[in-house]
Amino acid sequence: MNKATIVGSINLDTNLRVHRMVKPGETIHGKEHYTAAGGKGANQAVATARAGSKTRFIGAVGNDGPGEQMLDLLKEEKIDVSGIEIIQNEPTGQAFIPIDDNGENSIMFYAGANYAFGTEEVAKNSSLIETNDFVIAQLETPIEATIKAFEIARSKNVKTILNPAPGESDLPEKLLKLTDMIIPNETEAETITGIEVNDETSAKKAAAKLHELGVEAVIITFGAKGAFYDFNGYSELVPAFKVKAVDTTAAGDTFIGYMIATLEKDFSNLREAILHGNKASSATVQRFGAQPSIPYKNEII
C-alpha cells in the first residue's frame, strides 16, 4: 500500500447545473443547486484514500462551519488531518462551479484559508512527508509552501508530484527542479512551456521542454482522449475509457489519486498506473459533484 501526503487546498464547492454556460452580461436559469466538498488538494486526498493508500494532508481551513464540515468529511475517509491548520481570521476556501448539459464546467475559486498557511506550517509537519512514498501538490496554495514540502521530500527520497493547476506561466525554476513528476492538462502544459498542445506530437515537444526544466516524468492529460506520458525514453497516449460524461469536476483529481495508489516509486509501472487512473476518472465523470463523484476501490476493481 502506497503512502502519500497531499499539500493542497480545501474548499466548499457551490455547484449550479445549467443547460449552457452563461454569456457576459446574460442571466439564465439554473436547474439544480447543491454544495459538495472540494478543493483540488482535498479531492486528490480523497481519491488517494479511496484507492487504498494511506493518506495524510497538509493545508488549512477557516474557523467556521464549512471548515469544520470539510475536516469531518476528510476524517471519515480515514485521512490523517493532523497537518491541517485552523486559521482564525480567514474563511474556508470556496469554489463556484457551473456545469452544463455536456458535463463541462468552469470554476471560480476564492482561496481564503488556503493562502493563509506557508513554509512554517509545512516545516512543523515535516514528519508527515518524510516517511511517505509520494508528496503531491497543486497550485491552489502558496508556491513557497509547496517548494518547502518538496525540499523536505527530496531530503528523504520521497517522490514529488506536481499538478500545476490552475496553470501559471511563471512557475519558479526552483520548484520544477524539485519536481519528479508533473501532471498538467493540455492547457496547463501550454501555459508552462509556451508550446500549443493538441496532439501526441506537440505533447512530446512540451514534455521535452519540461524535461529540460528538470522534471523526470511528464504526464499530460487530454480529458476524454486519455493521458500522454513521456518517461525514460518512452512516450504514449493512453486512451481514456469511453463513457457519457455528466460532470467533469474532480476527474483529473481522481486520475491522480488512483494513479498514485498504483504507482511504483521508480515509476516503472507508469502505463499501468495511468490505465488505473483513467478507469477511475471514467467513473467520476458519470456522477455529479467533486468528492461525492470519486469512486471507491471496490467499484474500480
Side-chain angles (χ1 to χ4, degrees):
M1 178 174 65
N2 283 340
K3 296 179 289 183
T5 292
I6 286 78
V7 180
S9 57
I10 304 170
N11 293 334
L12 175 65
D13 289 352
T14 298
N15 303 272
L16 182 67
R17 290 183 60 204
V18 295
H19 289 295
R20 59 174 176 81
M21 292 299 178
V22 68
K23 298 175 184 177
E26 183 183 26
T27 300
I28 63 173
H29 285 285
K31 59 182 184 179
E32 185 180 2
H33 166 271
Y34 54 94
T35 59
K40 293 193 70 63
N43 294 345
Q44 290 172 21
V46 168
T48 305
R50 289 183 184 177
S53 293
K54 183 175 181 180
T55 308
R56 297 159 168 173
F57 201 100
I58 298 175
V61 295
N63 185 23
D64 51 22
E68 183 178 355
Q69 181 185 357
M70 296 304 102
L71 281 176
D72 287 344
L73 289 170
L74 292 173
K75 290 175 185 177
E76 288 178 12
E77 301 290 343
K78 305 296 189 290
I79 294 168
D80 182 344
V81 299
S82 61
I84 298 177
E85 298 287 323
I86 299 176
I87 308 296
Q88 296 300 318
N89 299 314
E90 288 285 353
T92 298
Q94 302 261 350
F96 303 89
I97 310 172
I99 305 115
D100 69 16
D101 284 345
N102 294 316
E104 295 297 330
N105 63 41
S106 59
I107 301 174
M108 293 152 284
F109 166 57
Y110 177 73
N114 291 309
Y115 261 68
F117 84 100
T119 56
E120 290 184 10
E121 288 78 12
V122 171
K124 78 178 185 180
N125 289 294
S126 60
S127 62
L128 299 179
I129 296 171
E130 295 170 345
T131 57
N132 276 3
D133 300 304
F134 303 100
V135 60
I136 309 162
Q138 319 78 36
L139 299 180
E140 290 184 341
T141 50
I143 286 178
E144 295 78 11
T146 298
I147 289 173
K148 183 64 176 179
F150 281 16
E151 287 175 338
I152 294 168
R154 277 287 179 88
S155 73
K156 298 296 182 180
N157 196 33
V158 176
K159 291 291 187 178
T160 58
I161 297 174
L162 179 65
N163 173 218
E168 291 193 17
S169 58
D170 56 349
L171 284 180
E173 184 176 319
K174 184 177 183 180
L175 175 60
L176 292 169
K177 287 186 179 299
L178 289 166
T179 298
D180 294 311
M181 176 184 288
I182 194 166
I183 312 176
N185 63 23
E186 66 267 47
T187 303
E188 293 153 359
E190 179 181 346
T191 299
I192 297 167
T193 66
I195 298 168
E196 184 178 356
V197 178
N198 48 34
D199 57 17
E200 284 189 67
T201 300
S202 54
K204 189 165 183 63
K205 290 178 181 177
K209 178 65 174 179
L210 290 164
H211 291 317
E212 289 175 11
L213 294 170
V215 182
E216 180 184 8
V218 176
I219 298 173
I220 300 175
T221 57
F222 278 88
K225 294 180 182 178
F228 170 88
Y229 74 91
D230 192 296
F231 170 66
N232 200 26
Y234 295 91
S235 63
E236 181 186 356
L237 178 63
V238 182
F241 291 79
K242 302 302 181 184
V243 296
K244 171 62 176 175
V246 299
D247 182 1
T248 57
T249 308
D253 300 327
T254 300
F255 169 81
I256 290 170
Y258 267 82
M259 189 195 69
I260 295 307
T262 309
L263 189 63
E264 299 288 344
K265 276 194 72 173
D266 62 0
F267 303 158
S268 58
N269 67 334
L270 185 55
R271 188 182 192 279
E272 176 188 349
I274 289 172
L275 277 171
H276 194 58
N278 282 350
K279 188 174 184 181
S281 61
S282 73
T284 295
V285 300
Q286 296 181 75
R287 308 168 181 178
F288 290 104
Q291 289 172 31
S293 70
I294 297 171
Y296 289 88
K297 183 178 180 180
N298 65 320
E299 298 178 76
I300 303 306
I301 292 173

